[in-house]
Amino acid sequence: MKSTEYIKELIDRYWTGDTSVVEEQEIKTFFSLNNNLPECLEQWRDWFEGESAITNLKLNDDFEKQILAKISSTETKKKPKIKQMITLSIAVAAMFAIAFVLWTDKTTCDYDEISYAEAVRDYETTKEMLYLTSSIINQTKTKVEDNISELKVVKEYIKLK
């Protein structure tokens, strides 16, 4: 059985991307075999056990048929409007930016010093960032809609001449 110190080192290396597939499997196995862990390791249980649950997810035989049917039915539908595509692109870019910032912030974490207050602070910061992103997306959507309306007026003006 691996020691908790060894697993802590592996987790540190995992967050910096320096573990091999075999070492990552050791971490997952460690969490699946140990029910009583120190708090500094227990906080990561859901992460490593959840990842293995997703990996072991099995799809039924009809899954591919259902996906292909859904794709073919959406191909015949009306194409999305440009303003919806722009809004979606902005939202996706903002989410990637937030995820990157949060990911790079966690790579230097010391497990023994994480407290509940720090976790709550990080949660509140993330929530504020998501509210800010949502607000920016809504403002952008409004601007895009206004610009499209103006373009329609210009287009009608040009047709009249």
Side-chain angles (χ1 to χ4, degrees), residues 65-82:
K65 292 177 187 174
Q66 292 171 356
I67 293 296
L68 291 174
K70 185 71 171 172
I71 290 171
S72 65
S73 72
T74 57
E75 287 176 354
T76 59
K77 291 182 180 178
K78 189 176 172 183
K79 299 290 183 194
K81 296 179 182 177
I82 191 166

Side-chain angles (χ1 to χ4, degrees), residues 53-67:
I54 292 170
T55 305
N56 295 331
L57 182 64
K58 301 291 184 216
L59 302 174
N60 64 21
D61 296 334
D62 294 331
F63 179 76
E64 184 176 337
K65 292 177 187 174
Q66 292 171 356
I67 293 296

Side-chain angles (χ1 to χ4, degrees), residues 98-127:
I98 290 171
F100 178 76
V101 168
L102 294 175
W103 178 77
T104 55
D105 187 42
K106 290 187 180 202
T107 58
T108 59
C109 186
D110 185 0
Y111 305 122
D112 294 330
E113 296 179 9
I114 292 179
S115 69
Y116 179 75
E118 290 173 327
V120 169
R121 185 199 68 222
D122 291 345
Y123 169 77
E124 291 299 326
T125 302
T126 303
K127 191 165 78 171

Side-chain angles (χ1 to χ4, degrees), residues 17 24 33 36 58 66 86 92 95 99 111 116 119 122 143-144 150:
E24 290 173 18
L33 295 177
N36 297 322
K58 301 291 184 216
Q66 292 171 356
I86 292 171
V92 169
M95 294 308 294
Y111 305 122
Y116 179 75
D122 291 345
K143 288 180 183 177
V144 169
E150 290 175 15

